[in-house]
Amino acid sequence: MNYANVVTEGYLGIPQNGLGSKYIVSSFSHDMSEFGIIAPSNDTVISINLRLKSGDLKYNGHTYRPAGQYLEVTNYKPTTIRSSTGILVQLYCDSNGLSYDSVMVTLPAVQHFKAEYQFVVVSDFPPGYQPNNYYMTVIIPTNAVVGLKYDGYLLVSFIQKSSIVMSGQTYSILIKEISRSGLHTLTQVNNVTFGLIINGKTTHQGYAYPAGFQFNNGAP
């Protein structure tokens, strides 16, 4: 999270053997979103199906960076990423100014998606710093959208919708405003797995986090 003139940040790190290789990168609602990729292993091959909102992508011709360096992309539409080994993908936005970012979050890979989530929308901030708006971003196979239940009720309305294809599967990217803070649930009635990002924001700060990860051992 960030304050206007002083920045305090944190992010979720996951073990290297838990990193994913397939990502669907969404964007935050109404914000200038950016994403970055970290490859911890040398000779990692990364394929980005990049859809820019406008302009051309320029990246130093053919430049191969050593492991651990950061590739940053801005001004994009929903994007898919594939890699030959596990990578870390960060999503963040810079809606307040050029010198600091208002939100940063570690994205779950498709392999990390779950069929049910329990999450908390946080509003316990000092006076004057509480987020004004709260949102959820859902990444789900399009044919499973009708089975989403939010706090026990079918989820049918969204403020933004888009779609993208990965591995022959069409995914919907849905953004919904959350009307209240506190504990919530989001489930898919047929146990179809999906990704979920929660974020809150105000003029001078914001927060975001992945609502959960599913790893190969079945632990949440």
Side-chain angles (χ1 to χ4, degrees):
M1 62 183 176
N2 296 273
Y3 292 166
N5 297 316
V6 179
V7 175
T8 302
E9 290 189 343
Y11 74 94
L12 174 67
I14 57 179
Q16 186 170 343
N17 61 6
L19 296 176
S21 59
K22 296 180 180 179
Y23 289 84
I24 297 174
V25 183
S26 60
S27 60
F28 291 111
S29 63
H30 313 303
D31 285 318
M32 176 63 179
S33 297
E34 307 173 7
F35 69 87
I37 303 169
I38 300 174
S41 302
N42 285 314
D43 301 318
T44 299
V45 178
I46 299 174
S47 299
I48 305 174
N49 180 19
L50 186 61
R51 303 190 299 171
L52 295 178
K53 292 181 179 178
S54 62
D56 298 322
L57 175 66
K58 296 179 181 179
Y59 179 58
N60 296 332
H62 296 284
T63 300
Y64 298 90
R65 297 186 173 192
Q69 290 196 9
Y70 201 60
L71 170 62
E72 182 179 278
V73 178
T74 64
N75 193 36
Y76 66 93
K77 295 180 179 180
T79 297
T80 61
I81 299 173
R82 297 170 178 267
S83 66
S84 58
T85 61
I87 58 174
L88 187 70
V89 179
Q90 300 279 356
L91 174 64
Y92 50 102
C93 70
D94 188 6
S95 61
N96 300 327
L98 298 177
S99 60
Y100 57 92
D101 301 324
S102 62
V103 173
M104 181 172 69
V105 60
T106 298
L107 290 183
V110 173
Q111 297 96 315
H112 298 140
F113 287 1
K114 300 174 57 179
E116 59 181 47
Y117 296 86
Q118 186 176 66
F119 61 93
V120 176
V121 173
V122 181
S123 63
D124 187 15
F125 288 79
Y129 290 101
Q130 296 93 341
N132 295 329
N133 303 95
Y134 309 97
Y135 300 93
M136 66 169 73
T137 300
V138 182
I139 304 171
I140 185 170
T142 298
N143 58 11
V145 172
V146 294
L148 282 174
K149 277 193 170 183
Y150 172 51
D151 290 344
Y153 297 93
L154 287 175
L155 184 58
V156 295
S157 63
F158 307 94
I159 61 172
Q160 290 184 31
K161 295 182 181 181
S162 58
S163 63
I164 196 167
V165 176
M166 186 174 203
S167 301
Q169 172 74 63
T170 301
Y171 287 84
S172 292
I173 300 171
L174 312 169
I175 298 178
K176 178 177 177 61
E177 187 164 7
I178 302 173
S179 60
R180 63 175 179 84
S181 59
L183 185 65
H184 298 273
T185 60
L186 187 65
T187 61
Q188 210 289 332
V189 296
N190 296 313
N191 291 319
V192 177
T193 60
F194 61 95
L196 180 61
I197 302 294
I198 308 301
N199 79 284
K201 66 174 187 175
T202 188
T203 303
H204 298 300
Q205 73 165 13
Y207 72 85
Y209 68 92
F213 284 79
Q214 185 75 40
F215 293 104
N216 291 334
N217 61 5

